[in-house]
């Protein structure tokens, strides 16, 4: 009898184990900082932000950025820049000479700490741009630990393969020494300056287990926010809160400049995002950044007459909207990457549009980030080749977005039986009431952002 009972318990345990295997599990295991739930992000190019190009001079812009609706200040690399093989007169921000130093052109360590303190006092957060994949060719580590770098067949140091980066050389992350050094350096700046995390350059070029361990050690100091310059899904599990929406930029650039249909956006990017992107992960939605601006042109060139509807989309799509230095001021040129080239600041309608979008994001939970916010639900219409219409809902909050990505006026009929109700349009304050099959008139490149009353 005991034998039969033992056999029965054995099979029951197997059954229980197998059933557990089929239970769905959340992909994202890390915990986002609570303050990031409805945050926006702004990339700061300290060198070009002011004529002085210093931390102290940048402080004067913080009230304006706070009023714009910025929550996270991302500072481009603040470290001393290599002099050997330097590009231009000032060099690349991403050729780091000293991971424990501050670029004297920007100010002192005390100036950086004062900036961080001021950002925090205003209710914002700050992350540093971190370059872990490579260093300047005259970084002290080259002589101190040459074994930490990748070598070619002739035994020479190597820049990032297949790229025109002769001012930098790549680390070898098969060496435990560089892993510990880089993790300790990351921890140093969190402890020393109280920053809130990092934007990590070419993050997918380094081993995933390095980043997962670094995140664990950083979170032991304080909960941090980590942004990866990558579109790789697996970075979200234990290492990074947010990755880049590079392919969203590509879709919008193609639609607006080549006048294609929106199929690449709806059936490509959004369909993939809704179906397989980690639900709790964040994606950074942008139209400009230091790479795009310097090497591929400004937003007016890259999106033409479709710029404003593209701005509206990145402000309402599932993701965290990001602005680059000067974008809110109508920056209409490429900033020089290796030399001084200050931004000209002025009031611009683009800034007013982003301010409206950011205000809506902050107050309406449907537009919050990751699983804090609502999923994008497609609303079918009679102009599916050119007009995107979708709804996002979370709790009692609901937002409907309708955008005409074409240079022709469109009469749009929405199949919105599940979205009946009264709405107010964000930019005009005009009231709408939907009853099921509703006709709307959209101008060329026109858009509506409707918030349920």
């Amino acid at each position: 009898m005991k034998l039969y009972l033992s056999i029965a318990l054995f099979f029951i345990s197997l059954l229980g184990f197998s059933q557990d295997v089929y239970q769905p599990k959340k992909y994202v295991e890390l915990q986002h900082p609570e303050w990031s739930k409805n945050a926006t992000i702004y990339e700061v190019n300290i060198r070009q932000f002011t004529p002085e190009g210093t931390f102290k001079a940048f402080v004067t812009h913080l009230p304006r950025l706070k009023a714009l609706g910025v929550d996270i200040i991302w500072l481009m690399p603040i470290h001393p820049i290599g002099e050997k093989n330097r590009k231009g007169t000032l060099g690349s921000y991403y050729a780091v000479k000293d991971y424990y130093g501050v670029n004297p052109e920007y100010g002192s360590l005390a100036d950086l700490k004062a900036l961080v303190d001021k950002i925090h006092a205003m209710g914002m957060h700050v992350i540093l741009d971190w370059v872990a994949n490579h260093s300047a060719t005259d970084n002290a580590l080259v002589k101190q630990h040459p074994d930490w770098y990748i070598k070619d067949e002739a035994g020479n140091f190597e820049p990032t393969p297949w790229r025109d980066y002769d001012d930098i050389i790549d680390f070898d992350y098969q060496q435990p020494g560089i892993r510990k050094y880089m993790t300790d350096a990351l921890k140093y700046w969190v402890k020393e300056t109280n920053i809130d995390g990092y934007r990590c350059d070419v993050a997918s070029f380094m081993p995933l287990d390095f980043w997962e361990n670094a995140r664990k050690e950083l979170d032991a100091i304080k909960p941090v926010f980590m942004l990866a310059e990558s579109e790789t899904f697996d970075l979200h599990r234990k290492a990074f809160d947010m990755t880049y929406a590079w392919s969203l930029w590509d879709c919008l650039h193609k639609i607006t400049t080549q006048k294609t249909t929106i199929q690449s956006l709806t059936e490509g990017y959004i369909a993939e995002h809704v179906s397989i992107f980690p639900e709790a992960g964040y994606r950074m939605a942008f139209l400009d950044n230091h790479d795009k601006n310097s090497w591929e042109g400004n937003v007016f060139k890259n999106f033409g007459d479709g710029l404003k509807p593209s701005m509206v989309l990145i402000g309402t799509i599932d993701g965290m909207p990001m602005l680059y230095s000067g974008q809110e001021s109508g920056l209409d040129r490429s900033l020089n990457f290796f030399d001084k080239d200050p931004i000209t600041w002025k009031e611009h309608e683009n800034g007013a549009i982003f301010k409206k979008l950011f205000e809506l994001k902050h107050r309406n939970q449907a537009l919050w980030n990751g699983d804090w916010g609502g999923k994008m639900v497609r609303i079918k219409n009679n102009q599916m080749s050119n007009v995107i219409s979708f709804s996002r809902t979370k709790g009692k909050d609901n937002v409907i977005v309708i955008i005409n990505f074409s240079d022709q006026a469109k009469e749009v009929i929405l199949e919105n039986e599940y979205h009946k109700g009264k709405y107010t349009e964000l930019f005009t304050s005009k009231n709408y009431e939907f009853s099921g099959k509703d006709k709307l008139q959209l101008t060329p490149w026109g858009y509506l952002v409707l918030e349920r009353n």
Side-chain angles (χ1 to χ4, degrees):
M1 188 67 175
K2 289 183 179 179
L3 178 61
Y4 292 142
L5 181 59
S6 297
I7 293 172
L9 290 173
F10 173 73
F11 281 108
I12 289 172
S13 68
L14 284 180
L15 179 62
F17 173 77
S18 63
Q19 291 298 318
D20 183 62
V21 169
Y22 298 110
Q23 292 299 313
K25 295 179 176 63
K26 290 187 66 173
Y27 184 85
V28 176
E29 297 179 21
L30 59 78
Q31 296 293 317
H32 301 299
E34 195 272 343
W35 50 260
S36 71
K37 64 186 180 184
N38 61 349
T40 63
I41 186 167
Y42 188 101
E43 180 184 8
V44 176
N45 186 329
I46 289 289
R47 176 186 291 170
Q48 314 299 18
F49 218 87
T50 62
E52 301 87 348
T54 63
F55 298 130
K56 285 184 177 180
F58 171 65
V59 167
T60 62
H61 283 262
L62 290 177
R64 179 180 63 80
L65 295 178
K66 177 68 176 179
L68 179 62
V70 172
D71 301 298
I72 302 174
I73 300 290
W74 153 20
L75 299 177
M76 287 174 65
I78 54 86
H79 304 297
I81 294 170
E83 297 173 36
K84 185 179 179 182
N85 299 329
R86 172 177 283 192
K87 293 178 180 289
T89 58
L90 298 178
S92 169
Y93 320 81
Y94 295 86
V96 176
K97 187 176 182 179
D98 178 7
Y99 286 96
Y100 284 88
V102 173
N103 189 337
E105 296 172 22
Y106 304 157
S108 65
L109 177 60
D111 294 337
L112 176 61
K113 288 181 177 180
L115 172 58
V116 173
D117 289 344
K118 182 65 174 177
I119 290 170
H120 286 161
M122 297 181 68
M124 296 184 286
H125 294 80
V126 57
I127 63 175
L128 295 185
D129 207 326
W130 195 260
V131 190
N133 178 68
H134 49 261
S135 78
T137 55
D138 52 355
N139 190 300
L141 296 176
V142 177
K143 292 184 177 180
Q144 294 170 359
H145 297 281
D147 55 310
W148 289 359
Y149 288 88
I150 293 174
K151 312 287 199 313
D152 63 18
E153 293 177 350
N156 300 314
F157 295 108
E158 270 199 317
T160 304
W162 294 78
R163 299 197 177 189
D164 180 24
Y165 294 162
D166 55 10
D167 57 339
I168 57 94
I169 49 178
D170 276 17
F171 288 115
D172 180 2
Y173 274 82
Q174 297 305 308
Q175 305 301 319
I178 185 57
R179 291 183 177 226
K180 185 178 188 307
Y181 173 89
M182 200 61 70
T183 303
D184 288 345
L186 287 162
K187 290 159 62 178
Y188 167 82
W189 290 99
V190 174
K191 291 177 180 178
E192 185 68 22
T193 66
N194 197 29
I195 59 166
D196 301 294
Y198 293 95
R199 177 268 184 186
C200 298
D201 191 58
V202 293
S204 57
F205 284 30
M206 284 147 285
L208 178 59
D209 62 334
F210 163 74
W211 288 121
E212 290 182 344
N213 179 71
R215 174 62 182 260
K216 181 180 178 181
E217 294 197 31
L218 289 169
D219 274 343
I221 302 170
K222 65 181 285 189
V224 293
F225 183 86
M226 300 289 282
L227 163 62
E229 187 199 9
S230 174
E231 209 163 18
T232 306
F233 289 6
D234 58 1
L235 292 170
H236 285 274
R237 186 187 291 274
K238 295 182 180 180
F240 288 93
D241 299 273
M242 187 159 71
T243 54
Y244 275 48
W246 287 115
S247 51
L248 175 60
W249 190 98
D250 292 338
C251 289
L252 292 173
H253 176 63
K254 180 179 179 181
I255 291 165
T256 55
T257 60
Q258 299 179 26
K259 306 298 190 292
T260 66
T261 69
I262 62 172
Q263 185 176 8
S264 63
L265 171 64
T266 55
E267 298 183 22
Y269 177 83
I270 295 178
E272 180 186 79
H273 177 86
V274 171
S275 300
I276 66 175
F277 189 78
E279 188 173 329
Y282 298 174
R283 264 180 159 165
M284 187 174 73
F286 59 90
L287 300 179
D288 207 5
N289 59 40
H290 66 270
D291 286 310
K292 292 297 185 185
N293 176 268
S294 292
W295 315 122
E296 298 183 47
N298 64 77
V299 292
F300 295 95
K301 172 192 172 187
N302 287 328
F303 302 98
D305 292 336
L307 175 58
K308 289 180 182 176
S310 298
M311 290 163 55
V312 170
L313 185 69
I314 69 160
T316 55
I317 201 169
D318 185 3
M320 184 185 295
M322 187 277 278
L323 298 186
Y324 178 54
S325 301
Q327 194 175 339
E328 76 278 24
S329 194
L331 180 65
D332 58 359
R333 61 188 173 88
S334 294
L335 298 175
N336 194 305
F337 200 76
F338 304 115
D339 297 286
K340 186 66 177 172
D341 188 11
I343 297 166
T344 301
W345 294 103
K346 59 184 180 297
E347 292 290 325
H348 194 277
E349 59 181 338
N350 288 0
I353 291 173
F354 280 119
K355 184 175 182 179
K356 281 275 192 181
L357 290 166
F358 292 173
E359 288 172 349
L360 178 63
K361 185 178 184 72
H362 288 150
R363 72 170 180 262
N364 194 300
Q365 191 173 354
L367 300 187
W368 288 6
N369 302 316
D371 55 6
W372 298 98
K375 293 182 179 179
M376 291 180 291
V377 176
R378 190 177 201 175
I379 300 176
K380 292 184 178 181
N381 63 65
N382 65 324
Q383 302 284 352
M384 299 289 276
S385 294
N386 301 113
V387 176
I388 182 173
S389 48
F390 63 91
S391 172
R392 295 184 66 188
T393 303
K394 191 74 171 184
K396 296 180 180 179
D397 288 340
N398 172 239
V399 172
I400 290 177
V401 180
I402 310 161
I403 303 174
N404 177 15
F405 277 108
S406 79
D407 57 4
Q408 301 294 317
K410 300 290 182 182
E411 181 179 79
V412 180
I413 302 174
L414 297 180
E415 297 181 15
N416 61 330
E417 288 80 0
Y418 299 103
H419 305 283
K420 298 176 182 178
K422 296 181 179 180
Y423 294 81
T424 300
E425 208 283 321
L426 178 66
F427 298 102
T428 64
S429 298
K430 182 179 177 180
N431 293 321
Y432 290 78
E433 184 168 0
F434 290 159
S435 57
K437 290 279 189 178
D438 299 282
K439 284 186 180 181
L440 299 166
Q441 304 296 326
L442 289 180
T443 59
W445 307 109
Y447 48 83
L448 297 170
V449 178
L450 301 158
E451 184 177 19
R452 185 187 289 274
N453 295 337

